Amino acid sequence: MTADLMLELRDIGKSFELHHQHGARLDVLRGLDLRLHAGECVVLSGPSGAGKSTLLRVIYANYRLSFGAVHLRHAGRWLDLARATPHEVLEVRRHTLGYVSQFLRVIPRVPALDIVAEPLLQAGMGEGEARRRAGDLLHRLNVPERLWLLPPGTFSGGEQQRVNIARGLIVRRPILLLDEPTASLDAANRDVVAQLLAEARADGSAVLGIFHDEDMRDRVATRLFPMQALEAA
Amino acid sequence: MSALLQVRGLGRHYGQRIGCEDVSFDLHPGELLCIVGESGSGKSTLLNTVAAQQAPSAGSACYRQRSGGWLELGALGEADRRRLAREEWGFVTQNPRDGLRLNVSAGANVAERLMALGMRNYAQLRDIARGWLERVEIDPARIDDAPTSFSGGMQQRLQIARTLVTQPRLVFMDEPTAGLDVSVQARILDLLRRLVNELGLAAVMVTHDLAVARLLAARTLVMQGGRVVETGLTDQILDDPQHPYTQLLVSSVLTT
């Protein structure tokens, strides 16, 4: 039995044109193909500058694709995210495609618990249940309860990162993109994240991520996807 | 087709001068759209034209009413325009003094729009006003004070309460945080963010502040010289700007 294909990149390319730097053009991705199946965790590997983060952002439609197509399975049908309307992209992000960056974007005055619960509210869950689940997940990630009602602006880097992971994982989305989510975590908390990812995969989520820490990479990856910086044209 | 507002090829000229030109967008229920650009880029002209405060010179803006029927806003009579402003819309101005009635109490400012909808029970009006003052973090004990005794930030929060108390389906906001101290701004932005989520507001907001757009709006229009030069998801526009002007705007923001 082969697992369901969830995401397929076909011949994608991404260039940045910098109008105010004498029209400089940076080619970061070219002719890239990738297939991601339910239940697998593919880890992007390669040196800094190989375009790993750019690839994740292109898939999330945070960066606009220059060439090719990002096909993903959403609500039982296939959609090319690079050609989807903004409303479709938002819908895909709410339900199908999650993205956890390296840093939490702190919102003034909003407490950690609400930051984590927000994606559940946006997906339609009631406030009480959403906050209860947010608390459970923060608890699992060892964020002390006395911090839950504080805005994370003053938290340590590791605490902020755990809030960010909780926010990113609280809705069980079929496709997860992770950009170094464990960079500033200690071993115990990396364990928790590895477990959360294993649970997501067991539930059928497909994971595509960047993990520089080799130990973490070995634990979570089912397959590596090597990347290299493009030669200067 | 579930849009609330449909704008197509909208333009507004002042004689030979272009206020805004060839603007098209859809706004869906529960969605906040930001219009960004520098002073003179046509943001406020666009907002005022879409909000039927001035007639378009070209194109159309159509609004789907609560009853389900579509209204072409350029062809709207004065009576219909007033009815929409009273029953279905809200407008938050940059200077709260333009949106508030300064010679009546804070409570009366909040209650007035409800009274315009026919609510007459004094005790009930006062209760609702008190609840809204609390919601926008104004001490309800100040209910009988005149807004002139309030700080600028309080006045802006009062204007927000006055506007949202009728639960409008569509809100227009023109730079609601400009001219306020950053700490006061943060409070108003957080408040707006919360109310937008709680009430499922649809809103069009003009701002020159990209951080405001990032915080509040899923989608953004970038304007320059009266035209829309770039449009898309706010995070796309801020993280991967395509147009030279957008690249300049984004690269000009100080990061701390």
Side-chain angles (χ1 to χ4, degrees):
Chain A
M1 193 190 100
T2 53
D4 285 340
L5 184 63
M6 297 303 293
L7 174 74
E8 183 171 23
L9 311 181
R10 282 188 217 145
D11 197 23
I12 68 169
K14 174 62 187 170
S15 309
F16 295 93
E17 197 177 346
L18 309 174
H19 293 285
H20 298 282
Q21 312 297 326
H22 312 288
R25 202 181 127 102
L26 298 174
D27 293 324
V28 182
L29 303 172
R30 193 190 301 145
L32 188 144
D33 299 295
L34 188 149
R35 289 156 66 92
L36 184 70
H37 297 84
E40 70 173 339
C41 176
V42 175
V43 173
L44 304 175
S45 66
S48 175
K52 303 187 294 294
S53 291
T54 297
L55 176 58
L56 293 186
R57 284 169 176 261
V58 159
I59 297 170
Y60 195 61
N62 173 227
Y63 287 173
R64 302 187 207 221
L65 198 62
S66 308
F67 308 99
V70 176
H71 290 286
L72 55 78
R73 194 192 289 271
H74 167 68
R77 68 192 178 96
W78 285 91
L79 184 76
D80 178 1
L81 207 56
R83 276 161 201 78
T85 65
H87 293 116
E88 285 172 327
V89 174
L90 292 171
E91 185 65 16
V92 166
R93 288 180 181 178
R94 245 188 313 274
H95 298 287
T96 301
L97 183 63
Y99 171 69
V100 183
S101 64
Q102 199 169 344
F103 300 105
L104 177 68
R105 193 175 287 284
V106 175
I107 303 167
R109 305 210 325 152
V110 181
L113 191 67
D114 290 355
I115 288 178
V116 176
E118 191 177 62
L120 288 174
L121 297 174
Q122 286 169 351
M125 186 180 286
E127 197 170 330
E129 176 67 6
R131 295 179 119 227
R132 195 187 59 72
R133 288 201 196 184
D136 287 349
L137 194 50
L138 285 172
H139 186 72
R140 267 193 87 177
L141 284 157
N142 302 308
V143 177
E145 199 165 341
R146 64 187 160 76
L147 297 181
W148 293 1
L149 296 180
L150 300 176
T154 54
F155 293 7
S156 74
E159 284 161 350
Q160 287 194 9
Q161 194 161 48
R162 280 176 276 149
V163 171
N164 200 35
I165 291 168
R167 177 182 166 90
L169 298 186
I170 190 138
V171 172
R172 184 51 59 79
R173 297 184 181 92
I175 305 171
L176 276 176
L177 309 172
L178 309 173
D179 191 348
E180 289 258 32
T182 55
S184 20
L185 299 190
D186 58 27
N189 283 309
R190 283 204 301 269
D191 276 352
V192 177
V193 175
Q195 273 167 27
L196 289 170
L197 292 182
E199 288 166 21
R201 283 181 42 220
D203 263 11
S205 290
V207 183
L208 182 64
I210 304 168
F211 295 91
H212 277 297
D213 179 75
E214 277 185 32
D215 172 57
M216 190 68 188
R217 185 190 306 173
D218 293 344
R219 286 186 59 182
V220 300
T222 55
R223 170 162 73 96
L224 293 183
F225 185 88
M227 291 179 71
Q228 275 187 342
L230 296 180
E231 301 287 323
Chain B
M1 175 72 252
S2 59
L4 200 58
L5 194 61
Q6 243 185 8
V7 177
R8 293 291 177 270
L10 195 73
R12 166 75 198 186
H13 295 198
Y14 302 97
Q16 291 296 303
R17 201 166 59 78
I18 294 171
C20 63
E21 191 163 74
D22 198 21
V23 177
S24 300
F25 66 86
D26 283 354
L27 185 78
H28 287 209
E31 181 176 52
L32 195 149
L33 175 78
C34 265
I35 304 171
V36 304
E38 62 200 4
S39 306
S41 60
K43 310 185 293 284
S44 295
T45 299
L46 174 59
L47 189 77
N48 291 330
T49 310
V50 173
Q53 303 205 335
Q54 54 191 18
S57 322
S60 68
C62 294
Y63 167 72
R64 185 165 53 84
Q65 304 176 80
R66 213 185 290 270
S67 64
W70 286 88
L71 277 181
E72 154 91 57
L73 299 176
L76 216 54
E78 183 60 17
D80 271 336
R81 201 183 64 77
R82 282 173 184 247
R83 182 181 58 78
L84 283 184
R86 192 173 62 233
E87 296 177 6
E88 306 208 6
W89 291 1
F91 203 106
V92 176
T93 60
Q94 174 175 354
N95 186 342
R97 289 163 172 266
D98 296 334
L100 290 173
R101 293 225 300 154
L102 296 173
N103 52 348
V104 300
S105 70
N109 264 284
V110 179
E112 191 178 49
R113 274 170 54 86
L114 288 174
M115 291 168 68
L117 295 182
M119 194 183 282
R120 287 289 179 266
N121 182 316
Y122 179 77
Q124 195 186 359
L125 284 167
R126 207 169 157 81
D127 267 1
I128 294 176
R130 194 179 280 117
W132 267 93
L133 290 179
E134 264 183 326
R135 218 162 167 178
V136 299
E137 301 174 22
I138 294 173
D139 181 355
R142 307 281 310 258
I143 189 166
D144 294 317
D145 294 355
T148 43
S149 70
F150 289 3
S151 69
M154 278 170 79
Q155 287 180 354
Q156 193 56 292
R157 281 180 274 134
L158 181 63
Q159 190 190 191
I160 290 168
R162 171 185 165 87
T163 305
L164 298 187
V165 67
T166 55
Q167 311 248 344
R169 300 177 74 222
L170 176 59
V171 181
F172 299 98
M173 294 187 257
D174 193 357
E175 300 269 17
T177 60
L180 299 171
D181 292 340
V182 280
S183 57
V184 178
Q185 259 190 34
R187 190 167 184 182
I188 288 184
L189 289 173
D190 172 37
L191 188 74
L192 281 174
R193 191 173 169 278
R194 209 147 25 86
L195 292 172
V196 162
N197 286 336
E198 280 173 21
L199 306 174
L201 281 187
V204 183
M205 177 190 277
V206 161
T207 179
H208 64 274
D209 187 338
L210 297 178
V212 169
R214 166 97 72 183
L215 190 65
L216 294 176
R219 289 195 304 133
T220 294
L221 297 182
V222 182
M223 290 190 76
Q224 182 194 28
R227 293 170 174 277
V228 174
V229 295
E230 188 162 352
T231 167
L233 296 172
T234 304
D235 65 272
Q236 285 175 339
I237 285 178
L238 298 186
D239 296 338
D240 188 17
Q242 308 288 311
H243 189 273
Y245 176 67
T246 319
Q247 291 189 355
L248 183 66
L249 266 188
V250 171
S251 66
S252 305
V253 175
L254 295 173
T255 50
T256 54

